[in-house]
Amino acid sequence: MSTARPPVPPAKASGLRRHRALMARLASGPAPEAVLLGDSLAAGWPEPALSRATGLPACNLGLPGDRVQTTRWRLAAMAAIAVRPRLAVVMVGTNSFADGDAPEAIVAGLAALVALLRTAWAPPVIVLATVPWRAPPPGRCEADRLALNAAIGAWAGNEALPLLDGEAALHPEPATRLEADRLHLNARGYAALSAALASLLRTG
């Protein structure tokens, strides 16, 4: 497996401030039974919709701008907070993809992130999300994103992790479920994603 990028803090001061605010909220309780980790796609997921989809009190720990290595750094910083969620959803990778990282490097980072999550909070269920359809960033193409999702799916299968398939969730008209930037999800997109997560958890 390729080497993962080392953990790094958020690049912007505003990201660090928001990260600290999330840590303070997590530390002051009540302890969530479901947590969501990841980038802006995770951060935009409304907590009430996430709680309904999981059937659990949820806390959204997503942060816009996160790469896989940023989420790893932030989880390491939060690991000392004694929470024991029953479920964790990991949705990160679209920014690493846009940076040009190879699928193998992204999957290696996700593997390290999941290992840390198991050590820190030991959730019985960890759901790993693929990268939903998005406008190809400069230097990348649709085939690259599909290759990344195939690599994520293969690794998740080997680890027996439930896979939230963003491709299937936004099918058949993914563009109608995104904002005008063709990257971030709109209300329809999050409704579709919530329905897919609820179905996954029911059948899993």
Side-chain angles (χ1 to χ4, degrees):
M1 181 178 285
S2 178
T3 303
R5 287 184 180 269
V8 294
K12 296 181 179 179
S14 58
L16 277 171
R17 287 194 297 270
R18 184 164 176 175
H19 162 69
R20 293 187 187 110
L22 289 170
M23 284 188 65
R25 177 190 171 195
L26 195 62
S28 62
E33 295 187 44
V35 294
L36 174 63
L37 295 160
D39 50 40
S40 57
L41 300 184
W45 199 330
E47 274 188 4
L50 188 63
S51 293
R52 287 192 298 271
T54 61
L56 299 167
C59 181
N60 188 332
L61 299 171
L63 186 70
D66 261 16
R67 276 67 178 161
V68 176
Q69 61 269 24
T70 322
T71 303
R72 285 177 60 199
W73 184 92
R74 294 198 304 111
L75 178 58
M78 293 185 286
I81 303 173
V83 295
R84 289 292 180 266
R86 294 164 57 187
L87 168 70
V89 180
V90 176
M91 188 176 188
V92 62
T94 194
N95 293 320
S96 298
F97 170 73
D99 288 345
D101 289 3
E104 296 79 10
I106 294 174
V107 170
L110 290 171
L113 176 60
V114 168
L116 176 58
L117 186 54
R118 286 170 168 159
T119 299
W121 292 340
V125 179
I126 300 174
V127 173
L128 191 61
T130 62
V131 175
W133 184 88
R134 55 160 296 163
R140 306 310 298 258
C141 64
E142 178 65 355
D144 291 336
R145 186 185 66 84
L146 294 176
L148 170 58
N149 282 344
I152 292 173
W155 183 80
N158 289 337
E159 292 291 312
L161 294 177
L163 186 71
L164 179 59
D165 187 346
E167 195 75 29
L170 302 187
H171 184 78
E173 297 180 321
T176 67
R177 291 168 167 80
L178 299 183
E179 298 287 0
D181 62 6
R182 298 203 301 167
L183 168 61
H184 296 96
L185 279 71
N186 60 22
R188 290 184 64 193
Y190 283 114
L193 206 60
S194 295
L197 178 58
S199 177
L200 176 65
L201 294 174
R202 283 196 304 270
T203 58

